[in-house]
Amino acid sequence: MTEAPAALHTQEKGELPERLWSRNFTLLFAARTISVLGDQMLLPTAITVAVLQAGYGVTGVGYALAAHGAPLALFVVLGGVLVDRFTPIRVMVAADIARLIFQGGLAAAFTVGTPDLWLIVTLLALGGTATAAFQPGYVSVIPRTARDVQKANGAIRVTESLMTVLGPAVAGVLIAVSSISLVLVLDAATFGISCACLLAMRLRVSRSVRQSSVRSDLVQGWREFSSHSWLWGVIVIFMLFQATVNGPFLTLGQSLVTLEYGEGTLGFVMAMFGAGSAVGGLVAVRLRPAHPLRAGALALAGTVLCLLAVALQLSVPVIAVSYVVWGAGTAFWLVMFHTAVQTKIPPDVLGRVHAYDVAGSVVMRPAGQMTAGPASVWVGVTPVLFFSSTMVLVTVGLLLAVPAIRNLRRE
């Protein structure tokens, strides 16, 4: 491998501003907000409509969504290496430029005609690969811009939640009054705005030369990741959670709501999930438990209410409330966990450690999604959802049973 110098954006704790809304964090917040808005406009609303209008059917939609999502699991670890080697901001800017080009190409393809499915899939896969580079950088730069990392994570979680509600709504309105091409153009433009915000940030750069190969960088990141029993313990448990809870519920639960109550109800309850996530983020800004992962695990237990409400086919208002609880608990857990990672892992390896975290967290979700369908044919949808409900309690119990996770203290 070629040896390359690495610059590392660094700011000592004492040099970080006391207030949260400093220039750098405000620009980072704006960049994250606009890019998430674009993502939520694109996935799954715009891509689903675009592929169906192009005549490729549900199978084509599946290929398109998988093409965008798979690179995250495949390449995020390499993205972590790039972030730690070339600094988060540089990698994020490059990723935004790449996504601007690829999404712009997709918009152009739909503007001039009906593109072939292979072209749609290729452009989405390239955009997904750029996202795999962006994600570790975004997480790594938060503690470099904010002294209060938990409050920063909470604020960003709130805006992400609001964008999950606003993005599909904006896409739906634009598709109804204009065309799918306009949505794709605006999605591409969000990456340009995000890039401009990142370029406007002023982080002090401390330059150091690191003589190492990509392989040695990966090994160093793995050693750091595996040296924290609370960290790899959470990831192993969440692999079980993704395979037995998230994967099946995202497939069967959403399908059951659509079939029993209609597409409008699904949109409504997903909006309630977004609202709940915003509430969870706001609570995480204010509440500072001494043992963050313990508190986060208890909040995550509320997920069981959502699975049971859907499995028992309760009334729409009850299901909506359960989605609020699900969203709030999930958001609170994510803020607690990400804050723990960002405050306890050294900055120079944070990108790689987070990348291992993401790869381990998402790799088992497709397995749960793929097995949910055959399992529901064999035993029925409701029994599978009951099983997933039980597994929520099992995984929360495992999180609380591991001393390194349960007793981890807040910085």
Side-chain angles (χ1 to χ4, degrees):
M1 293 289 179
T2 58
E3 296 174 348
L8 191 62
H9 285 286
T10 58
Q11 277 183 297
E12 298 298 329
K13 286 275 186 182
E15 297 175 348
L16 290 172
E18 292 288 345
R19 68 188 189 281
L20 175 64
W21 298 102
S22 63
R23 171 189 171 86
N24 284 332
F25 180 74
T26 300
L27 287 167
L28 177 65
F29 181 88
R32 182 61 176 173
T33 299
I34 193 66
S35 62
V36 172
L37 175 63
D39 286 340
Q40 294 300 321
M41 289 170 59
L42 179 71
L43 300 167
T45 305
I47 284 302
T48 299
V49 173
V51 174
L52 290 176
Q53 286 184 355
Y56 299 117
V58 176
T59 300
V61 172
Y63 289 151
L65 294 177
H68 189 274
L72 180 61
L74 292 174
F75 300 115
V76 69
V77 173
L78 180 58
V81 171
L82 295 176
V83 164
D84 290 337
R85 181 174 285 260
F86 299 113
T87 77
I89 295 297
R90 288 180 180 177
V91 175
M92 293 164 69
V93 167
D96 270 342
I97 292 173
R99 293 192 290 184
L100 170 63
I101 293 171
F102 297 137
Q103 294 305 124
L106 188 63
F110 275 95
T111 300
V112 300
T114 301
D116 293 334
L117 182 59
W118 69 264
L119 179 60
I120 299 173
V121 168
T122 300
L123 290 172
L124 288 173
L126 291 171
T129 302
T131 299
F134 183 94
Q135 182 65 22
Y138 148 69
V139 171
S140 297
V141 84
I142 290 176
R144 304 168 194 264
T145 60
R147 179 188 298 272
D148 193 330
V149 176
Q150 180 175 323
K151 185 176 288 187
N153 278 319
I156 289 177
R157 187 63 194 176
V158 170
T159 193
E160 288 176 343
S161 303
L162 294 176
M163 292 307 102
T164 63
V165 178
L166 182 61
V170 171
V173 171
L174 290 175
I175 291 171
V177 301
S178 183
S179 67
I180 192 65
S181 298
L182 176 61
V183 178
L184 296 175
V185 167
L186 292 178
D187 173 51
T190 62
F191 296 120
I193 298 173
S194 172
C195 182
C197 291
L198 294 173
L199 288 171
M201 293 175 66
R202 297 172 182 169
L203 290 180
R204 199 184 76 171
V205 179
S206 176
R207 295 189 178 275
S208 61
V209 177
R210 187 170 74 236
Q211 304 292 332
S212 62
S213 66
V214 170
R215 180 182 179 278
S216 63
D217 285 347
L218 288 171
V219 171
Q220 183 188 14
W222 175 256
R223 285 175 178 166
E224 182 68 33
F225 174 81
S226 60
S227 69
H228 299 277
S229 57
W230 64 268
L231 178 55
W232 64 257
V234 167
I235 300 307
V236 169
I237 293 169
F238 254 78
M239 291 173 71
L240 176 66
F241 186 82
Q242 293 281 25
T244 62
V245 179
N246 264 1
F249 186 60
L250 292 174
T251 301
L252 301 180
Q254 318 299 54
S255 298
L256 185 59
V257 170
T258 302
L259 293 173
E260 295 296 328
Y261 304 97
E263 295 178 357
T265 298
L266 178 62
F268 170 64
V269 298
M270 289 308 298
M272 291 300 98
F273 174 83
S277 297
V279 171
L282 289 171
V283 172
V285 169
R286 305 289 299 179
L287 188 63
R288 297 177 178 275
H291 300 92
L293 299 187
R294 184 188 303 179
L298 292 172
L300 197 63
T303 303
V304 72
L305 300 177
C306 189
L307 273 76
L308 289 175
V310 174
L312 295 171
Q313 299 180 32
L314 301 180
S315 65
V316 171
V318 173
I319 293 177
V321 171
S322 74
Y323 268 72
V324 172
V325 174
W326 176 29
T330 300
F332 187 81
W333 160 261
L334 288 174
V335 172
M336 294 298 108
F337 177 67
H338 286 157
T339 300
V341 173
Q342 292 161 341
T343 55
K344 294 182 179 296
I345 302 299
D348 59 330
V349 292
L350 181 55
R352 282 164 285 173
V353 170
H354 174 70
Y356 281 118
D357 156 29
V358 172
S361 297
V362 304
V363 71
M364 292 304 294
R365 184 186 297 177
Q369 291 173 316
M370 288 187 294
T371 57
S376 66
V377 172
W378 183 37
V379 300
V381 173
T382 300
V384 174
L385 292 179
F386 281 143
F387 169 75
S388 294
S389 301
T390 303
M391 292 308 298
V392 172
L393 302 180
V394 170
T395 52
V396 169
L398 289 173
L399 289 170
L400 297 175
V402 178
I405 298 173
R406 182 181 69 249
N407 297 327
L408 187 76
R409 298 192 66 86
R410 179 170 62 88
E411 287 290 331

